[in-house]
Amino acid sequence: MLFSYLSDAAQALRMWGARRILVAIAVAVVSVLVIGVSTVLIPNSFFARDIPAVWWDYPMWILTSALIGLLTATYVREPGASAPDSGGGTFGTVGGMLGWFAVGCPVCNKIALLVLGYTGALTYFAPLQPVLAVLSVILLLVAVVVRLKGQFSCPVPIRERSAQA
């Protein structure tokens, strides 16, 4: 069953036109910039990071951004195409938010800081960040596969009733 979903998703990706590919790339780049600047994975003067980034922050940041780009592009309709179903939206939203929390500074996160305090954020939230990163990627991947499978599936045409009925 999983192979069927992945196969359908891969088939849908191969059918993408230039419009969707460009949207996927553009949104991925914007995601890289927004997440990178706000979490200071891209050094900048707007934000500060008290705890240095760990090695896995960078691949998760790029992977999350790429999946956000792919997911967003699934909402773009090709000219003349019917509207696809809207499945996968909640998974994508939660996955994107978890990805941002996963790569951010644990003590710079105002929510974690207010709830747990500085020591609590380091003690409890920081060790959970790799789990959040994996959950983020899983949720985004599920959302992308569901959206792509929905684009590849062809709806059954509605038959018109005969004049006798």
Side-chain angles (χ1 to χ4, degrees), residues 64-142:
T64 299
S65 296
L67 288 171
I68 289 171
L70 285 173
L71 181 60
T72 303
T74 65
Y75 287 93
V76 174
R77 285 194 305 174
E78 294 292 340
S82 63
D85 71 7
S86 59
T90 303
F91 284 155
T93 302
V94 173
M97 289 172 44
L98 286 178
W100 180 77
F101 282 118
V103 298
C105 171
V107 296
C108 303
N109 180 335
K110 303 302 182 221
I111 297 169
L113 204 55
L114 285 172
V115 173
L116 302 170
Y118 191 89
T119 305
L122 284 175
T123 305
Y124 301 110
F125 183 65
L128 280 177
Q129 285 182 295
V131 175
L132 295 178
V134 170
L135 280 174
S136 167
V137 169
I138 289 171
L139 288 173
L140 285 166
L141 195 55
V142 166

Side-chain angles (χ1 to χ4, degrees), residues 27-102:
V27 170
V29 167
V30 169
S31 295
V32 162
L33 293 174
V34 169
I35 294 170
V37 168
S38 67
T39 60
V40 194
L41 293 174
I42 298 173
N44 64 81
S45 59
F46 300 113
F47 299 99
R49 188 177 178 116
D50 293 342
I51 308 297
V54 292
W55 69 269
W56 56 264
D57 282 341
Y58 295 97
M60 284 300 173
W61 164 44
I62 300 301
L63 183 57
T64 299
S65 296
L67 288 171
I68 289 171
L70 285 173
L71 181 60
T72 303
T74 65
Y75 287 93
V76 174
R77 285 194 305 174
E78 294 292 340
S82 63
D85 71 7
S86 59
T90 303
F91 284 155
T93 302
V94 173
M97 289 172 44
L98 286 178
W100 180 77
F101 282 118

Side-chain angles (χ1 to χ4, degrees), residues 7 18 24 36 72 117 126 138 144 147-148:
S7 175
T72 303
I138 289 171
V144 168
R147 294 283 306 161
L148 288 171

